[in-house]
Amino acid sequence: MPRPNVLQIGEFPSAQQDIINAEVRRYAQEDLQRDPAVSEGIEAILTRSSYQVPASLLASLPNLKIIATSGVGFDGIPLDAARSRGVIVTNTPGVLDAAVCELAIGLLLSLLRRIPSADRFVRDEAWAHELFPLTSSLAGKRIGIVGLGRIGQGIARRLAGFDVEIAYCGSKVEGLPYAMISDVRELASFADILIVCCPGGDRTRHLIDGAVLSALGSSGFLVNVSRGTVVDEAALIDALEKGLIRGAALDVFEKEPLIGSRLATLSNVVLTPHAGSATEETRHTMLRLALDNIHRVLDGSCALTPVK
Ligand code: DGY
């Protein structure tokens, strides 16, 4: 079977790149610039959540049929431009929920118990001459979940064993034992810890702003495993520096990779490199689904997981 011509936007780890290279004829954006004829043959775009697909690119790819992202978020894909050209967009919902939930719980515990600092404290042998500061318990805390979708529900379920009280904002979900507090500022006032796991995009841009952070208060913690754009990062840095909130654990940032940010100088933050889904098992399943979507659409079948 001929391998389809696929424009890859973004980097994949080498084991995944080998799989891609074995199944498709892979082109990079530089190849389009080097030889404009390549654009004619491109049938699919394969990308990941950390990258942007420019709307202007679509006009130069007359045979493009599908944009497949190996990720659940599609805020980097110009949906309207794709739809107007009849290009199908697919993502990989469901298969990464567990990994993102696990990282959210890991970040939460790392933040409250200061695990990264404690690790440094032991390695640096500071333990020989001082006591590590006391940290915060999770038990007994009130958790506000911003967005009770698949990932939000998975986090809530995993938190059930930690003796916490949970409330949420976002779309109403029936049949679950959590209070809904529809105003995010009110949710922040209720919560000791706000966990952000709603989709990114224009509708949630800077949903967590200075006012929400003030409502969370000086003993409050923020965890973000959603998109950097959901949090007003300048307001967050200000709140962290001034002690308006107690700490934050962040897997996502307004601009990634995070370079030269004041966040990296603060001791009350835990930072990870947009790694919510980054386990071997999960990323393998995501890529498989993204490639299967490409093969199916190019064979004339329905996509397995189209963005609706
Ligand atoms: C996604 O799939 O959108 C996640 O952010 C990846 O980690």
Side-chain angles (χ1 to χ4, degrees):
M1 224 186 1
R3 288 181 301 152
N5 296 324
V6 174
L7 172 65
Q8 180 179 319
I9 297 184
E11 268 185 87
F12 284 77
S14 62
Q16 296 206 310
Q17 193 60 60
D18 291 345
I19 296 173
I20 297 168
N21 295 349
E23 290 190 28
V24 307
R25 219 175 286 123
R26 174 241 188 229
Y27 294 93
Q29 275 174 291
E30 304 81 78
D31 297 320
L32 309 186
Q33 276 135 31
R34 229 184 340 264
D35 179 2
V38 170
S39 305
E40 288 276 320
I42 296 295
E43 302 161 279
I45 291 177
L46 173 64
T47 189
R48 294 205 290 115
S49 293
S50 309
Y51 301 93
Q52 299 288 321
V53 177
S56 57
L57 179 66
L58 306 196
S60 66
L61 305 174
N63 287 306
L64 183 68
K65 304 207 172 37
I66 170 170
I67 303 174
T69 181
S70 183
V72 68
F74 45 85
D75 45 312
I77 297 177
L79 267 193
D80 291 342
R83 285 195 174 129
S84 70
R85 311 185 78 81
V87 172
I88 291 167
V89 175
T90 63
N91 64 344
T92 60
V95 298
L96 47 77
D97 299 350
V100 177
C101 293
E102 287 167 8
L103 187 76
I105 302 292
L107 282 173
L108 175 60
L109 292 171
S110 297
L111 177 64
L112 266 59
R113 302 301 299 268
R114 302 187 58 188
I115 295 171
S117 308
D119 176 86
R120 264 195 312 277
F121 183 84
V122 175
R123 287 172 200 268
D124 295 349
E125 299 181 359
W127 196 8
H129 41 83
E130 55 184 301
L131 291 175
F132 190 70
L134 297 180
T135 59
S136 300
S137 293
L138 177 54
K141 293 286 188 300
R142 292 171 152 193
I143 313 270
I145 297 187
V146 179
L148 200 67
R150 277 188 310 264
I151 290 174
Q153 289 178 40
I155 292 171
R157 254 196 332 273
R158 284 162 175 82
L159 284 171
F162 285 100
D163 298 325
V164 294
E165 188 184 347
I166 294 175
Y168 72 99
C169 70
S171 304
K172 177 130 185 83
V173 185
E174 301 294 344
L176 292 177
Y178 318 120
M180 177 169 173
I181 302 178
S182 42
D183 182 74
V184 68
R185 216 182 295 181
E186 272 176 43
L187 183 72
S189 301
F190 153 88
D192 302 300
I193 299 155
L194 212 51
I195 303 181
V196 183
C197 44
C198 58
D202 290 342
R203 289 176 55 195
T204 55
R205 189 178 163 70
H206 288 187
L207 178 68
I208 309 299
D209 58 9
V212 173
L213 295 169
S214 296
L216 185 58
S218 57
S219 57
F221 294 95
L222 179 78
V223 176
N224 187 7
V225 290
S226 147
R227 282 292 180 267
T229 51
V230 181
V231 175
D232 179 343
E233 206 165 277
L236 174 63
I237 292 172
D238 191 55
L240 287 163
E241 286 179 341
K242 293 184 175 149
L244 304 179
I245 68 165
R246 184 139 176 215
L250 309 169
D251 183 47
V252 286
F253 307 91
E254 287 205 67
K255 187 165 185 310
E256 297 175 5
L258 187 77
I259 304 292
S261 167
R262 278 173 20 230
L263 280 172
T265 67
L266 299 175
S267 59
N268 51 351
V269 298
V270 175
L271 307 171
T272 50
H274 197 151
S277 64
T279 70
E280 285 179 12
E281 299 89 336
T282 304
R283 285 285 173 87
H284 179 79
T285 311
M286 290 161 68
L287 176 63
R288 187 64 270 145
L289 182 51
L291 287 169
D292 287 347
N293 273 317
I294 290 178
H295 293 309
R296 283 177 67 99
V297 168
L298 297 185
D299 284 351
S301 306
C302 290
L304 295 166
T305 47
V307 171
K308 298 213 172 92

